[in-house]
Amino acid sequence: MALDFIFMLTRNDRTVKDAMEHLQTVLATGVHHVGFKDIGLPVEDLKELNQTIQFAGAVSYLEVVSLDIESEIASAKSALEIGVDFLLGGTHVEAVLPILAGSDIQYYPFPGRITGHPSVLEGTQEQIVASAKALSLYDGVHGLDLLAYRAKGDIDALMTAVCSAVDKPVVVAGSIDTPKRIQSVENSGAAGFTIGTAALDGVFPAKDTDLESQLSAIQEALARIESRISPQGKVNLEQGFAKFSDPWSPKVAGRINDMQIKLVKLAGSFTWHHHDDEDELFLVNKGQLLMKFRDREEVIEKGEFIIVPRGVEHCPVALSDECEVVLLEPATTLNTGNVENGFTVSDLEKIS
Ligand code: NI
């Protein structure tokens, strides 16, 4: 499951005054989950933030950091009024659940005992796990907001213990300010993590301290952890075709799912054949290709392609001295299809 990065428009557990200004940068970098806290800005401003987040197609979060029950109830009511997608945090679950009943808000309270401002997670690992288990049993609790990086002791062990003890998603919060910590969150089996202060203060390792650089660095770290960075470089067709000269001997230049991209040079006529199971695409890169079918012929020029469906008899012919064709077909495709003769090449060379 993908790990969600939730950017919090907050510093030291307060929504920042210039949240709306920052929000434009945040949405422009493609961050898909954006949150704020119940402290720092009036509800009207939070409403506007929420509308902007949702209008951009992103998911909104309100995190409750007020500790007393009255403030928490007020924040839960604000969450409803604002229309956020997620309500994170808070500890007075019995008081909040009736307020959220019937709404679409996803509710992720804090497991464990929370004190102070900025909040701290108190208690032993056993106590926090027991609290997490108990909370996860409520129907109206959809997940947990674990303040792991505000706890003492072995944080990796705590995250892993909580994530494996409950069968609901766990979002990890606290002070995640390095790629290593994101990796630890991923390893623990959590569903997401929040970063606020670290990015706003420019302390996440990045090329610069501005918010855009910070968010880009966080997203790059996450993409690397989730193997969403492509190891593939571009392929240049001219350079690819320059690597060989033997005609009718396709070279593998790339793979896409179960398909291969092959480069082949044509000279004269090939052999009549068909492929029982594979469709083939012929894209002309240089020269002219004549594709013979039993009922007709087609001339394919540079910049044009033709698809030969499975089962259809065909015979490609080069109409020019130099004829270069890019093939796209399943990796199982034999160049001569149902026929085996002097043209058959079963072991294809890879050129990139
Ligand atoms: Ni063929």
Side-chain angles (χ1 to χ4, degrees), residues 270 273-275 280 282 308 314 316 329 333-337:
F270 198 52
H273 66 283
H274 72 268
H275 306 269
E280 290 189 291
F282 294 74
V308 179
H314 56 287
E329 57 194 20
T333 312
L334 184 65
N335 65 331
T336 51

Side-chain angles (χ1 to χ4, degrees), residues 247-250 269-271 334-336 339-346:
W248 303 116
S249 178
S269 178
F270 198 52
T271 188
L334 184 65
N335 65 331
T336 51
V339 175
E340 283 212 41
N341 58 23
F343 284 116
T344 304
V345 185
S346 48

Side-chain angles (χ1 to χ4, degrees), residues 4-37:
D4 290 336
F5 159 43
I6 306 162
F7 177 67
M8 299 297 292
L9 292 158
T10 64
R11 182 182 276 120
N12 300 327
D13 275 1
R14 298 176 70 86
T15 302
V16 292
K17 296 277 176 244
D18 47 359
M20 188 51 98
E21 206 175 294
H22 289 315
L23 183 54
Q24 303 307 328
T25 307
V26 173
L27 295 171
T29 57
V31 173
H32 194 66
H33 302 263
V34 189
F36 40 83
K37 307 221 181 187

Side-chain angles (χ1 to χ4, degrees), residues 83-113:
V84 291
D85 299 305
F86 281 74
L87 177 63
L88 301 181
T91 53
H92 300 94
V93 175
E94 297 272 3
V96 169
L97 281 174
I99 298 168
L100 300 182
S103 77
D104 291 331
I105 295 179
Q106 298 284 301
Y107 179 39
Y108 284 46
F110 290 132
R113 199 159 59 82

